[in-house]
Amino acid sequence: MRRGKKAEDEATAAAAGDNDPDSATPPKKAKKTKEPEAPILYEDPPDKMTSKDGRDANMKITSWNVDGLRAWVKKKGLDWVREENPDVLCLQETKCAEKSLPADITSMPEYPFKYWAGSDDKEGYSGVAMLSKTEPIKVTYGIGKEEHDKEGRVITAEFSSFFLVTVYVPNSGRGLVRLDYRKTWDVDFRTYLSELDIQKPVVLCGDLNVAHQEIDLKNPKGNKKNAGFTAEEREGFSQLLEAGFVDSFRELYPEQTHAYSFWTYMMNARDKNVGWRLDYFVLSSSLLPALCDSKIRNQVRGSDHCPITLHIVV
């Protein structure tokens, strides 16, 4: 049914928001839409290849939480590794039993010395790996405590002048269900590293599952009761530093903001750079003069973490 002209005019005025002050229903003001904030991205600066005392870097170590080795290989993670070309590659959260490792990585000629650790009880859970161009003097698995060593979280390689430890630290879990266990782990792992440090300096790398300070994550206020940013976990990391170790990235870039190594897959977090710095190279303080650079390769995809790289003189 066709409406009359008057009805059409009234309908048009209502849709447009009639500004007549005598009209019975005042017009609704249109809500202003908030412009989304442009993400602030971290730009990994050029690599520094010289230590403070003028020596040239001669050891390059890369660490990467791959969030499932088989999927990471399919996403061409090894192409980037060949491009980066570290002397030692450390991987965490491999989620792969040794019998199921992809041939693409087990047959890599660039790294003739390969070491794997996985969970005893849960296949496809946790797991770490270390691939090296040169043969270590000795390689050990775990930290010597049965309660911690069933989940395949630690590999230690002894080289001539230092120990290299790669770790996937236990996550405190949703609802902090493993926080008490994590606190025990932090104490025992710190003791393990300190005992190594008595023998030789230590390079520790991996996913430490903690953002140490507020500068190390995008939303500190909203995460104080969440795994990875509880007071207990942060204190555990502080105690590690107090025991004679150094966060290499913060040593070189103490004020650098927006430098993260992990982003959830949800809510487009990576493109928005809503992240956490959970991956570290932690050094014995005696290695500080040998430190050249500590890199966050945040442009590299293939996991919910990005790789990190250390340049050092050994």
Side-chain angles (χ1 to χ4, degrees), residues 1 32 39 52 65 68-69 91 145 189 240 254 288 291 310:
M1 186 173 82
K32 288 185 180 178
K52 284 184 180 177
N65 177 322
L69 185 72
L91 305 175
K145 281 190 173 280
F189 188 51
L240 177 61
L288 261 185
L291 173 62
L310 180 76

Side-chain angles (χ1 to χ4, degrees), residues 84-95:
E84 182 79 346
N85 194 27
D87 298 298
V88 187
L89 172 67
C90 297
L91 305 175
Q92 303 86 40
E93 211 172 351
T94 54
K95 299 180 180 178

Side-chain angles (χ1 to χ4, degrees), residues 44-83:
D44 185 28
D47 293 19
K48 299 174 193 167
M49 301 303 292
T50 309
S51 65
K52 284 184 180 177
D53 57 10
R55 291 176 293 159
D56 292 334
N58 60 2
M59 172 66 77
K60 182 179 188 179
I61 304 167
T62 290
S63 176
W64 198 351
N65 177 322
V66 294
D67 189 32
L69 185 72
R70 286 167 287 192
W72 172 76
V73 166
K74 288 177 183 175
K75 294 174 187 174
K76 307 297 183 187
L78 289 175
D79 289 354
W80 181 84
V81 168
R82 290 187 173 99
E83 188 181 315

Side-chain angles (χ1 to χ4, degrees), residues 42 44-52 55-57 59-61 248-253 281 283 287-297 308-313:
Y42 170 65
D44 185 28
D47 293 19
K48 299 174 193 167
M49 301 303 292
T50 309
S51 65
K52 284 184 180 177
R55 291 176 293 159
D56 292 334
M59 172 66 77
K60 182 179 188 179
I61 304 167
S248 63
F249 183 81
R250 280 289 165 235
E251 181 66 25
L252 295 171
Y253 307 101
F281 280 102
L283 314 178
L287 285 175
L288 261 185
L291 173 62
C292 298
D293 211 349
S294 188
K295 313 301 297 171
I296 298 177
R297 307 296 199 200
I308 58 173
T309 290
L310 180 76
H311 293 291
I312 197 166
V313 184

Side-chain angles (χ1 to χ4, degrees), residues 66-71 73 91-106 115-129 150-152 155:
V66 294
D67 189 32
L69 185 72
R70 286 167 287 192
V73 166
L91 305 175
Q92 303 86 40
E93 211 172 351
T94 54
K95 299 180 180 178
C96 186
E98 196 165 343
K99 64 184 180 184
S100 305
L101 290 166
D104 292 15
I105 193 165
T106 57
Y115 309 94
W116 316 93
S119 172
D120 292 346
D121 301 327
K122 303 179 196 171
E123 189 172 332
Y125 173 73
S126 188
V128 292
K150 294 178 180 179
E151 295 183 349
I155 297 176

Side-chain angles (χ1 to χ4, degrees), residues 203-234:
V203 174
L204 166 68
C205 68
D207 177 0
L208 303 192
N209 259 318
V210 62
H212 184 216
Q213 303 290 2
E214 292 196 356
I215 195 175
D216 295 315
L217 73 166
K218 172 68 174 174
N219 294 319
K221 288 181 181 175
N223 281 296
K224 290 188 175 177
K225 294 184 179 178
N226 290 335
F229 199 59
T230 62
E232 293 90 338
E233 292 162 308
R234 296 169 65 193

